[in-house]
Structure formats: structure tokens, C-alpha cells
């Protein structure tokens, strides 16, 4: 076991840092994920009019997937910048980009107003959203794991993951309020735009929060080292090329490890919305409540499972257990949803989200411990974002296509099992370095103990 040899970087201010990071991440993911809800409920007829409702839904979900195509590019750019210039700067830029792109969707005219330019501009805005969220995750994850006390690294790493859940729940809650207070005509004509207009909140509040956070002790140690030490530590090299050349296997493992996690998340928060309303016949309000309520439990379960790995002495074992459990639950999940019973649908989603948390909770810490300090942002971001293209981005589209082709939910269950098998193979091959010394570089050089510093500025 590799253990951290540096002094404990935790402090009473760690809580304030974690709160700020989670809040910023929540806003980022709220902006990115409200598109998923809108794609399931309204974007098809607004931007892709068609006599075939399935075709319109497929088109809106395809545009949803476009945002994921841009995520690796965002991760590449931010990874290089984060390894060379600090974990914090890419976060600030990511939030600015995301907020402006989201706001632009809120004011974008529909197909009836500007014709073909409506879907074209929607795709452009979604691509920019993808760049923003692709740049954000790696920095947020390292902000917490590189600040955290080594014995609680799993717990603090899991907190950044809750931002995605809180963002999804907040988005569903926003749409739930709108659908409950507006008529169908009001909602489809202008009500759906309101959540997107809140993108300006991310710009105003997010930048303020992010600018008050100091960079991590690990990066400070790297940047403060002497010229010779910096050269030995690999800082004179291109971090991205260094990561790909020397850690391609770890990047592929991280990509595969995220497959079932990302695919099932978007099936649960977006694909199920479309399926339950259009195929099962549930009301929009009922399924939104089920998804929101079940998903909100992850705010508790993910930190619990993250902390559990600190006590278990392994992130990998719990991750593998969750992978197997998700494959087993794939069929019961849709058997219960097909019943159309609100309690049974809620149970199906609750179990699904809980199993998901066993993997997503410890993921940020597992990835941080897979890569050395000087290429950590690049390596972790590449693995995470490449999987997001082929797993999360395509999941609602694949689900809709499978249902259209087979007319039955068993095909989606088999799809989940397939992603679980891929993830199991990837995770079982990972050489886990539990409680790795995060100051260690790719050349085996210790970056040095950082000078004592507070975790927040001002």
C-alpha cells in the first residue's frame, strides 16, 4: 500500500472548501443536465418538428449526445492547463463558458421562428456546454482530493460527485414546479426556457466562489519547487502527451470503469422520463417526483460509500460489487417500472441510484490515486470524459432506439448488462494504489512538502 507521507492537509476550513466546491459543481451540472430533462419533455417538437414523435425524440436526444462529444476536448484543454498552471483556472473558465452557453439556449428561437438555424444553433450551444462540463470535473475532483486528509480522501472525493446529483435533482425540481404551475401551452411556448436563463447565475455566483479558492497543496508544491526539481518532476514536458504516452493503460481503464456508471445515470435521470411518460403512461409529474426523490438519496449514499472505502482499505472492491449488483438489477429495474405503479417505480429507481452510488461515490478518489501529480488532471479527465461520449451521451439515444426496435424494455436491460460487463473487466485490471502519496510525480520524484497554507483565500 502506498500511503501519503506528507502532513495532513485537512483543516477546519476543509468544510468550507468542500461546500464551495460542491455548490459550484452543482450549478455546473444543473446547467448541463437540464438539457436532458428538456430533451425528454419538450425539445423535440420545438427544434425538430416531425410527424413521427419517436423521430423528434431521437433527434433531441442526439443533440443531447453532442454535448458529450465535446467533453473530451474540454477535458484535454483543461487537463493540460490544470497540470501546467493549476487546478483552479480551468474551473473558472469552465463555469463562464457553461453559464453563457446555457443562457443562450434559453433565448434561442425555435424552428417555427428561424427554421433550420434553430437546431443548428442549438447544436452549437450544446457543444459549448460540453466543453464547459468537460473542463470542470477534473479540476473539481482534484480540488477536494488533493486538499483532503489522506484518511478521509474517499469521503471528500465523493462530495464532488454529489454535485452532479444535486444538479440533476435541482433541474427536475425546476421542471416539476413549472409543469405544476403552468398549462401545457405555457410550458411548451416559454416555460421550458426559464431554467436555461438561470445560466447567468452560474456566471455571477460561480466565478465569485471559484475565485476565492486557493489552488491545491499538491500543485503548490509542484510549482514552488526549484527549476531542477520541476524538470525532474516532469513539469517541463507537455502533461497531456506525457499522460497519453506513459499512462494510456490507466486512461483506458478509467474510461471502461465509467461505462456502466455513466450509462445508467442518464438512463435513470433522462431515458426513464421519456419511457415512463410515453410508453408506460405515467404522468409527467409522477415520474419527475420519482426520479427526483430517488436521485436525491445519493446526496447521502455517495458520501457514505466514499467514506466506506476509507475504512475498507480499497476503492476497487466496492466498485466491483456495485458493477455486479447493477447487472443483476437491470431486469428487475424495468419490471417494476413497467408496472406503472408509483411506489414500485420509486423502489426501482431508489435501488438503481443506490447501486450507482457504490461506484460513483469512490470514483473521483480512485481516479486521483491512479495517476501521479504532474499528469493527474490530464489522465483523470481523459478517462472520465471519453467514457461520457460513448456511455452517458449515447445512453438515452440507445435506449429510445432499442425500445423503438424491440418494443420491449428487456433490450435496455441487456444494454445495461453489457456496459456492466465492460466496466467489470476494466476495474478488475486496475492496479489500485490505496492512499497513494499524491505528491509523487510520474518520474517517481516527491514534489516536496508544501508550506502551511489555508484552504481558502480572503
Amino acid at each position: 500500500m502506498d500511503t501519503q507521507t506528507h502532513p495532513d492537509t485537512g483543516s477546519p476550513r476543509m468544510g468550507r472548501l468542500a461546500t464551495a466546491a460542491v455548490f459550484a459543481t452543482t450549478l455546473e451540472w444543473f446547467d448541463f443536465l437540464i438539457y436532458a430533462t428538456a430533451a425528454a419533455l419538450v425539445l423535440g417538437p420545438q427544434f425538430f418538428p416531425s410527424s413521427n414523435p419517436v423521430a423528434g425524440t431521437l433527434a433531441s436526444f442526439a443533440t443531447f449526445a453532442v454535448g458529450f462529444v465535446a467533453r473530451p476536448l474540454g477535458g484535454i484543454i483543461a487537463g493540460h492547463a490544470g497540470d501546467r498552471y493549476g487546478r483552479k483556472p480551468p474551473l473558472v473558465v469552465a463555469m463562464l463558458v457553461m453559464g453563457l452557453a446555457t443562457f443562450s439556449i434559453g433565448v434561442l428561437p425555435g424552428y417555427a421562428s428561424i427554421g433550420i438555424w434553430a437546431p443548428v444553433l442549438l447544436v452549437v450551444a450544446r457543444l459549448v456546454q460540453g466543453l464547459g462540463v468537460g473542463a470542470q470535473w477534473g479540476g473539481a475532483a482534484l480540488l477536494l482530493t488533493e486538499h483532503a486528509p489522506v484518511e478521509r480522501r474517499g469521503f471528500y472525493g465523493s462530495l464532488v460527485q454529489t454535485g452532479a446529483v444535486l444538479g440533476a435533482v435541482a433541474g427536475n425540481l425546476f421542471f416539476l414546479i413549472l409543469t405544476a404551475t403552468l398549462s401545457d401551452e405555457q410550458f411548451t411556448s416559454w416555460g421550458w426556457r426559464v431554467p436555461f436563463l438561470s445560466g447567468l447565475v452560474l456566471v455571477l455566483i460561480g466565478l465569485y466562489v471559484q475565485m476565492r479558492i486557493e489552488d491545491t497543496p499538491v500543485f503548490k508544491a509542484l510549482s514552488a519547487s526549484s527549476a531542477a526539481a520541476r524538470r525532474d518532476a516532469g513539469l517541463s514536458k507537455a502533461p497531456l502527451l506525457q499522460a497519453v504516452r506513459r499512462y494510456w493503460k490507466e486512461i483506458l481503464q478509467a474510461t471502461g470503469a465509467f461505462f456502466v456508471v455513466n450509462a445508467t445515470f442518464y438512463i435513470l435521470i433522462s431515458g426513464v422520463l421519456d419511457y415512463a411518460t410515453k410508453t408506460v403512461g405515467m404522468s409527467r409529474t409522477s415520474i419527475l417526483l420519482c426520479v427526483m426523490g430517488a436521485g436525491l438519496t445519493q446526496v447521502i449514499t455517495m458520501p457514505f460509500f466514499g467514506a466506506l472505502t476509507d475504512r475498507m482499505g480499497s476503492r476497487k472492491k466496492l466498485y466491483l460489487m456495485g458493477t455486479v449488483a447493477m447487472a443483476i438489477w437491470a431486469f428487475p429495474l424495468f419490471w417494476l417500472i413497467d408496472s406503472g405503479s408509483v411506489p414500485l417505480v420509486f423502489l426501482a429507481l431508489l435501488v438503481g441510484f443506490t447501486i450507482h452510488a457504490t461506484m460513483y461515490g469512490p470514483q473521483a478518489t480512485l481516479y486521483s490515486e491512479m495517476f501521479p501529480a504532474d499528469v493527474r488532471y490530464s489522465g483523470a479527465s481523459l478517462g472520465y470524459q471519453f467514457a461520457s461520449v460513448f456511455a452517458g451521451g449515447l445512453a438515452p439515444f440507445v435506449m429510445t432506439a432499442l425500445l423503438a426496435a424491440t418494443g420491449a424494455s428487456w433490450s435496455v436491460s441487456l444494454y445495461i448488462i453489457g456496459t456492466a460487463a465492460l466496466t467489470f473487466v476494466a476495474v478488475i485490471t486496475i492496479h489500485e494504489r490505496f492512499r497513494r502519496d499524491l505528491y509523487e510525480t510520474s518520474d517517481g520524484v516527491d514534489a516536496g512538502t508544501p508550506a502551511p497554507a489555508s484552504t481558502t483565500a480572503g
Side-chain angles (χ1 to χ4, degrees):
M1 177 189 302
D2 298 291
T3 57
Q4 182 96 15
T5 58
H6 297 272
D8 187 351
T9 58
S11 78
R13 295 188 179 182
M14 190 69 203
R16 190 169 75 178
L17 171 66
T19 300
V22 171
F23 180 67
T25 304
T26 298
L27 291 174
E28 183 91 10
W29 281 101
F30 171 83
D31 279 13
F32 189 71
L33 294 177
I34 54 175
Y35 191 99
T37 305
L41 299 179
V42 74
L43 291 186
Q46 289 286 329
F47 290 90
F48 306 96
S50 171
S51 57
N52 185 344
V54 174
T57 300
L58 283 172
S60 63
F61 276 143
T63 311
F64 169 71
V66 164
F68 289 80
V69 174
R71 284 176 61 171
L73 179 58
I76 288 171
I77 296 171
H80 176 80
D83 285 327
R84 288 298 299 271
Y85 307 112
R87 318 308 194 194
K88 186 181 71 173
L91 292 180
V92 176
V93 174
M95 298 186 77
L96 176 63
V97 166
M98 173 63 78
L100 293 177
T102 302
F103 178 80
S104 70
I105 294 176
V107 298
L108 183 63
Y111 188 92
S113 299
I114 58 174
I116 192 62
W117 283 107
V120 169
L121 293 175
L122 182 65
V123 169
V124 171
R126 186 61 181 167
L127 281 169
V128 177
Q129 276 194 322
L131 288 173
V133 80
Q136 186 268 350
W137 181 83
L142 298 191
L143 187 70
L144 288 182
T145 56
E146 290 187 350
H147 269 106
V150 61
E151 71 278 3
R152 302 195 68 195
R153 189 183 291 161
F155 168 74
Y156 280 110
S158 70
L159 295 182
V160 72
Q161 308 294 73
T162 65
V165 176
L166 288 170
V169 170
N172 280 339
L173 179 60
F174 214 141
F175 277 104
L176 180 63
I177 294 173
L178 290 172
T179 56
T181 57
L182 300 177
S183 66
D184 286 343
E185 182 180 356
Q186 290 173 323
F187 178 78
T188 55
S189 64
W190 60 267
W192 67 269
R193 298 179 180 274
V194 177
F196 290 94
L197 298 178
S198 66
L200 289 183
V201 177
L202 180 64
V203 175
L204 299 175
I205 299 179
L207 288 180
Y208 171 79
V209 172
Q210 293 287 23
M211 292 298 288
R212 290 181 59 85
I213 299 175
E214 287 187 3
D215 227 314
T216 71
V218 174
F219 186 80
K220 286 183 179 180
L222 287 170
S223 60
S225 59
S226 66
R230 285 170 61 82
R231 183 171 59 255
D232 292 338
L235 290 182
S236 60
K237 305 168 185 175
L240 177 64
L241 297 179
Q242 181 86 337
V244 173
R245 187 176 76 251
R246 298 186 60 177
Y247 298 96
W248 60 268
K249 180 180 177 181
E250 286 80 1
I251 292 172
L252 289 178
Q253 289 170 328
T255 300
F258 198 29
F259 251 73
V260 73
V261 184
N262 208 217
T264 53
F265 181 68
Y266 286 101
I267 287 174
L268 292 174
I269 70 164
S270 181
V272 167
L273 287 178
D274 181 67
Y275 177 70
T277 55
K278 297 180 181 178
T279 302
V280 180
M282 294 182 66
S283 70
R284 183 187 297 167
T285 300
S286 295
I287 189 60
L288 278 172
L289 281 172
C290 288
V291 172
M292 183 180 65
L296 190 58
T297 62
Q298 289 196 311
V299 176
I300 298 173
T301 56
M302 284 200 291
F304 171 80
F305 289 123
L308 181 61
T309 64
D310 288 325
R311 297 191 293 272
M312 288 177 60
S314 173
R315 328 284 181 199
K316 177 178 172 179
K317 289 180 182 178
L318 183 63
Y319 210 112
L320 288 172
M321 291 169 60
T323 303
V324 173
M326 188 62 79
I328 294 173
W329 188 245
F331 276 101
L333 170 69
F334 280 96
W335 292 339
L336 293 175
I337 293 174
D338 287 340
S339 72
S341 166
V342 172
L344 293 181
V345 171
F346 178 79
L347 176 63
L349 295 173
L350 176 64
V351 175
F353 277 117
T354 301
I355 295 172
H356 177 268
T358 65
M359 299 174 282
Y360 199 45
Q363 183 184 35
T365 306
L366 176 67
Y367 281 22
S368 295
E369 293 175 337
M370 287 175 65
F371 299 94
D374 50 316
V375 297
R376 185 169 295 131
Y377 202 137
S378 296
S381 291
L382 286 176
Y384 188 98
Q385 303 304 343
F386 276 132
S388 71
V389 177
F390 302 104
L394 291 178
F397 180 87
V398 170
M399 178 176 173
T400 302
L402 287 174
L403 290 171
T406 65
S409 59
W410 59 261
S411 58
V412 184
S413 298
L414 289 179
Y415 171 62
I416 292 174
I417 292 172
T419 61
L422 192 157
T423 292
F424 186 88
V425 172
V427 175
I428 204 169
T429 61
I430 292 175
H431 172 62
E432 183 173 17
R433 301 189 65 178
F434 181 73
R435 292 187 177 176
R436 175 188 193 142
D437 182 353
L438 295 185
Y439 291 83
E440 180 187 351
T441 70
S442 57
D443 292 328
V445 176
D446 192 298
T449 303
S454 63
T455 58
T456 55

